Amino acid sequence: MLQQRTLKSLTRAVGVGLHSGQRVEITLRPAPPDTGIVFRRIDLPHVVDIAVSAMAVSDTRLASTLSNGDAKVHTVEHLMSACAGLGIDNMYVDITAEEVPILDGSAASFVFLLQSAGIELQNAPRRFIRITSAIEVQEGEGANKKMGKTGAAPRVQTQLCH
């Protein structure tokens, strides 16, 4: 059984938002099994939790934005990439502004923060999404058409030229 993972202890960082230029503090904290990754807007009059999921994505222009009602968190992609790379399943991200700090402009600083906190195995099986049929997404028309497609099983196509 592959086990879920969280942090051993909390860790903090301070920086500025790339697009907002606003000072922001984040605290990355351990979370119980099956919590997922949850951003917590602690700067608002009432704390608002924004659970990371495809349904929470509200904008992808210039940065990835997650929302819950009127509460938003922008530029989550570098932190989320670090979590994916290190296999972090459960974590709270307390944040004091609308945008994750850019730090060095890559996921490297977030990897360092997560590794500094330590990674702990949890007594719960890791959950996976299984794609059982082809998925195709299209947007726009003509020269502006964007398309993504995946199948239930990977296919390899080879063409030999001699």
Side-chain angles (χ1 to χ4, degrees), residues 31-49:
D34 298 322
T35 299
I37 297 174
V38 179
F39 286 87
R40 304 185 77 238
R41 288 289 309 277
I42 63 172
D43 59 314
L44 300 175
H46 300 285
V47 173
V48 177
D49 288 353

Side-chain angles (χ1 to χ4, degrees), residues 8-141:
K8 284 186 180 176
S9 63
L10 65 80
T11 187
R12 293 185 171 102
V14 177
V16 296
L18 173 65
H19 303 287
S20 67
Q22 189 175 8
R23 182 184 187 277
V24 58
E25 298 175 25
I26 59 169
T27 302
L28 309 177
R29 298 185 295 114
D34 298 322
T35 299
I37 297 174
V38 179
F39 286 87
R40 304 185 77 238
R41 288 289 309 277
I42 63 172
D43 59 314
L44 300 175
H46 300 285
V47 173
V48 177
D49 288 353
I50 304 171
V52 173
S53 76
M55 299 308 292
V57 176
S58 58
D59 195 1
T60 56
R61 291 170 293 162
L62 300 178
S64 299
T65 301
L66 304 174
S67 299
N68 181 0
D70 291 334
K72 299 178 189 294
V73 179
H74 304 284
T75 322
V76 300
E77 54 272 18
H78 296 156
L79 175 56
M80 294 306 302
S81 177
C83 290
L86 294 172
I88 304 293
D89 300 291
N90 304 301
M91 180 176 70
Y92 291 116
V93 181
D94 296 343
I95 186 165
T96 63
E98 209 172 62
E99 188 175 19
V100 174
I102 194 61
L103 301 180
D104 74 346
S106 75
S109 294
F110 293 109
V111 168
F112 175 79
L113 281 171
L114 295 166
Q115 288 177 328
S116 295
I119 299 171
E120 181 172 271
L121 293 176
Q122 298 179 294
N123 193 20
R126 181 172 266 178
R127 296 173 174 222
F128 295 92
I129 296 173
R130 180 175 297 180
I131 298 172
T132 59
S133 60
I135 299 171
E136 184 173 314
V137 178
Q138 293 184 30
E139 181 180 322
E141 296 179 17

